[in-house]
Amino acid sequence: MRRFLVLLPPFAWLLALVAAPVAILAGIALSQGAPGVPPFLPPVSLAAGWQGTLENILTLVQDGYYAGSFLRSLVVAGVSAALCLGLAYPVALGIAAAREGWRVPLLAMVLLPFWTGFLPRLGAWIGLLRDGGWVNGVLTGLGVTAGPLPLLYSDAAMYLGMVHAYLPFAVLPLTATLLRRDLAVEEAAADLGASPWVVFRTVTLPLSLPGAAAAFLLVFIPAAGEFVIPELLGPPEALLVGRVLWAEFFQNRDWPLAAALAVALLVLLIAPIRLFQRLDEGGSRRGASPPSRVGGTAADGRRPGVLR
């Protein structure tokens, strides 16, 4: 009975704030658009049967416009996650190599962008990248370009905004993984003559792969449904699923089709979400019981690596 009372609040929270909204969204996705408030007919009132209720799902499958938006969203999310991961590695390695007293201030600096609003940060990028902004002003003043470059409303500006917004999500799990690695293995490889790049490629990188995968997924999952950054910084032709969903909901007022888009995006992200959960659970198990050393000997009786 005590276990039931302990688990009741989180289960009620999940039911009210996660399961119920998803169920309502799925119900709207199986509805049919109609004039009125709300602008749809519930599935139970449809006379067309199951074919009518699945009309929105069939539209997503058959219409290349929506399939293309999903594909472009996944590509943008993958590229953004790869860029964040590439930039997160030197930052995470630097934090992990720093003295213990410096790690918290360095992590606070990584999280510093979160202390300001999201829209003001994007507004700052707009001011920097516009034709009369600081970046074009510096390039023109130095004679690098004869006139302003079209930096704003481009793929480069969109990816710049994505990396700026999601880089901390890649740095934090990667730093946690690198802090748990055994430095004796790297020092043993260096003692055997391996260069720093070889040590990173053959020792550090394999040991940090679970954290790298978690960092990649932690950026990829929210970036796949991003709307604000492509809308404010991206090119007009960057029709990602977030922008298409917003247009269907607010401009076309086709709530059933917009709900179907949201449900389809959720289904696509179930696999990476589950993979991230498994990686997180595996990392927690590995980090829960590190080998303890007593008198220079590990608890299982093995001698630790030779240190310089």
Side-chain angles (χ1 to χ4, degrees), residues 107-167:
L107 287 173
M109 293 178 64
V110 172
L111 297 175
L112 190 61
F114 289 153
W115 297 5
T116 59
F118 184 64
L119 290 178
R121 283 185 280 146
L122 293 181
W125 281 116
I126 293 175
L128 288 172
L129 299 176
R130 63 188 178 91
D131 291 347
W134 286 10
V135 176
N136 273 311
V138 171
L139 293 177
T140 305
L142 294 176
V144 179
T145 59
L149 295 176
L151 301 176
L152 193 58
Y153 308 125
S154 62
D155 287 333
M158 179 177 62
Y159 285 121
L160 185 62
M162 298 285 269
V163 170
H164 178 222
Y166 292 111
L167 182 59

Side-chain angles (χ1 to χ4, degrees), residues 8-74:
L8 182 60
F11 274 116
W13 186 90
L14 290 173
L15 180 64
L17 300 180
V18 178
V22 171
I24 294 173
L25 194 65
I28 298 176
L30 297 176
S31 303
Q32 192 176 53
V37 180
F40 62 88
L41 296 174
V44 293
S45 64
L46 292 179
W50 283 106
Q51 186 176 0
T53 59
L54 295 178
E55 178 183 357
N56 300 306
I57 306 298
L58 295 176
T59 301
L60 298 183
V61 176
Q62 297 171 357
D63 196 330
Y65 172 76
Y66 301 105
S69 68
F70 276 106
L71 180 60
R72 185 171 177 85
S73 296
L74 295 179

